[in-house]
Amino acid sequence: MIRRQDIRELAQFQCGEGSALSFYFQPRTPLNKSHREEAILAKDLVRSALREVDKNGKGKSARADLDRILEIAERLHGNQARAKAIFACSQQGFWREYDLPPRLSGSSMAVNQRFHLRPLAAILGTLYSASVVLVDRKQMRRFALTLDEVVPREEIKAELPRRGRSDGFAGYDAGHAQRHVEHEAMHHFKAVAERMKELYDTGVSANFIVGCRDETWPEFEPHLHSYVRQHLLGRVVLEPSTATAEQVREKALGVLTEARTNRCEAVLREVLGQAQRNGRGAVGLKRVLRSLEAGEVQALLLGDRFSAVGVECPNCGHLELGTKPECAACGHATRELSDLADRLIAIAVANGIDIIYYEQDTEIDRVGNIAALLRFRSDQSTTAKLAS
Ligand SMILES: [Zn+2]
């Protein structure tokens, strides 16, 4: 799997000669039911990139990499479970290969000065995850759930009730033993709740789903820490001792998907409302570019139909819409960008800005397929901020 720090590394990469290769393979698209064709298409993409390199001699050192990618593409087939991405530049000895969730809009091949990152927006935008915590009186089992997979992570067993010397005396001691069991169960629930708080505090898990039997919930729920409770996406009924990973996925995925959809919609609504009030929302490319440069952006909202050409200043990094030969900020000659989205994603990843990706969403389409939730607005005074 690709992590944010991997994408950050890709975003920083530059190759003056223009032989940075980005190859994406999407095994199947909903529109293309024939798996075979996808694999053929991928090979054709590499072959035509090879022909381009041979024809104009530009990016000559890319040839070795393209041969190697073609070899890999020849082994790909359309019904594999994962998508694939390869980033390479032999001139600088760079080669990275990643398996990805099959969420790309299609296969593609690009040869340029920088890596083509736009297809990763669909992946980044769906890196939504939760810890599924199965709990009963005797144990806790935790699974990491994403929209694409479920992975068992840890187990905690409750300490077994210690048997004292008084065992065997019926009556008083039976009651005593029962209280002891209750005490151990409570102790265990506390330990599980404590562990969940730790997972949240250390950034391992931002969301939780609890899986338990109905009768367990009222016993366990009071022990949950308040901010774990705030990030509890839901509860599902599961048998904690025997549930398989597949059963966990089946029950919990709906909760996760719904939570993600709700969050995407809520953020977009918030941004549109705030933008109208001149608050913490920016809509449209021009405004978003300005906010990015001012360091105001908390989350970047990108629609799948976003498309824009622009220029970048190699001297100061200033980005502009359209094709201006000189940088508006420093006067240096600019460089053309065929897809501004690549740079926007690079900036977002480098600055820890969340990317939220919208597929076939008419709301974001209406504002040019780009918007941003702002942390603050630098053009407003403190009093204005407090008032909004
Ligand atoms: Zn400049």
Side-chain angles (χ1 to χ4, degrees):
M1 251 316 257
I2 196 160
R3 299 160 303 169
R4 277 187 89 99
Q5 62 255 47
D6 299 323
I7 301 176
R8 201 172 302 150
E9 179 194 37
L10 298 171
Q12 280 160 0
F13 188 89
Q14 274 200 67
C15 164
E17 205 199 302
S19 55
L21 308 184
S22 317
F23 171 71
Y24 291 92
F25 172 69
Q26 165 67 22
R28 57 195 125 71
T29 59
L31 294 174
N32 181 1
K33 293 215 172 66
S34 158
H35 297 154
R36 219 178 109 74
E37 279 173 32
E38 275 301 323
I40 292 172
L41 173 70
K43 271 178 280 181
D44 285 348
L45 286 169
V46 186
R47 285 202 192 100
S48 79
L50 265 169
R51 276 196 299 276
E52 274 303 300
V53 166
D54 286 342
K55 201 170 72 190
N56 57 29
K58 222 180 88 193
K60 225 179 197 156
S61 63
R63 204 173 201 298
D65 281 334
L66 283 167
D67 282 335
R68 193 170 159 196
I69 293 173
L70 185 60
E71 242 173 73
I72 292 167
E74 268 159 2
R75 290 197 299 271
L76 293 170
H77 47 90
N79 58 357
Q80 46 186 66
R82 299 196 150 271
K84 196 170 199 50
I86 299 173
F87 304 94
C89 177
S90 62
Q91 204 212 4
Q92 296 186 30
F94 191 95
W95 180 278
R96 299 282 185 280
E97 225 177 301
Y98 298 102
D99 283 336
L100 303 174
R103 293 178 176 276
L104 305 171
S105 59
S107 303
S108 66
M109 173 85 231
V111 187
N112 217 322
Q113 294 190 327
R114 282 214 174 94
F115 293 125
H116 181 42
L117 301 179
R118 185 211 183 98
L120 294 175
I123 309 286
L124 275 171
T126 48
L127 284 183
Y128 199 58
S129 64
S131 275
V132 184
V133 175
L134 306 187
V135 62
D136 64 12
R137 291 179 144 224
K138 298 208 168 86
Q139 66 196 312
M140 173 270 230
R141 292 165 69 209
R142 178 169 71 88
F143 293 79
L145 178 74
T146 67
L147 298 177
D148 300 289
E149 63 181 5
V150 61
V151 183
R153 286 286 188 225
E154 68 176 314
E155 288 189 25
I156 298 174
K157 296 260 186 247
E159 285 172 40
L160 287 171
R162 287 176 296 278
R163 297 276 166 202
R165 272 187 306 168
S166 55
D167 279 356
F169 287 89
Y172 165 78
D173 289 308
H176 182 259
Q178 183 53 37
R179 281 196 300 280
H180 196 61
V181 169
E182 293 299 325
H183 178 76
E184 294 292 343
M186 195 186 80
H187 190 73
H188 166 64
F189 286 144
K190 263 198 174 133
V192 173
E194 199 53 40
R195 175 66 183 138
M196 289 168 78
K197 176 175 179 289
E198 189 180 51
L199 290 166
Y200 183 82
D201 285 341
T202 52
V204 174
S205 186
N207 300 302
F208 297 92
I209 297 170
V210 170
C212 65
R213 289 192 296 267
D214 280 331
E215 66 264 32
T216 312
W217 182 241
E219 290 188 328
F220 175 59
E221 195 261 353
H223 298 289
L224 287 175
H225 195 276
S226 62
Y227 51 69
V228 168
R229 206 171 301 190
Q230 279 165 29
H231 295 90
L232 187 68
L233 303 182
R235 180 172 79 82
V236 293
V237 178
L238 274 164
E239 180 54 54
S241 55
T242 57
T244 62
E246 188 45 40
Q247 285 167 333
V248 169
R249 204 187 77 90
E250 236 168 63
K251 288 269 175 130
L253 188 61
V255 176
L256 186 69
T257 311
E258 195 187 326
R260 179 182 172 263
T261 308
N262 289 343
R263 176 177 175 253
C264 290
E265 282 173 6
V267 172
L268 183 54
R269 230 176 6 248
E270 162 94 10
V271 165
L272 296 178
Q274 289 280 353
Q276 243 166 27
R277 294 197 294 278
N278 255 347
R280 298 189 311 116
V283 297
L285 182 54
K286 246 190 172 150
R287 184 70 185 83
V288 170
L289 281 177
R290 209 161 68 213
S291 294
L292 275 174
E293 285 188 336
E296 299 170 342
V297 178
Q298 181 179 336
L300 180 68
L301 286 57
L302 206 58
D304 57 352
R305 278 168 287 199
F306 174 80
S307 154
V309 290
V311 290
E312 177 189 34
C313 172
N315 183 44
C316 73
H318 178 68
L319 290 176
E320 227 167 307
L321 187 58
T323 51
K324 304 202 177 64
E326 275 175 14
C327 172
C330 77
H332 197 281
T334 58
R335 180 162 62 205
E336 255 182 69
L337 298 170
S338 55
D339 190 350
L340 256 179
D342 278 356
R343 289 313 296 152
L344 296 177
I345 291 160
I347 292 168
V349 170
N351 293 287
I353 297 166
D354 272 342
I355 294 177
I356 307 178
Y357 191 66
Y358 295 83
E359 275 169 337
Q360 305 186 0
D361 185 293
T362 49
E363 289 293 304
I364 196 152
D365 203 32
R366 276 217 305 262
V367 295
N369 283 291
I370 188 159
L373 179 66
L374 310 181
R375 284 180 238 276
F376 61 90
R377 281 179 58 129
S378 51
D379 60 351
Q380 285 178 352
S381 69
T382 319
T383 29
K385 242 186 290 175
L386 287 174
S388 70

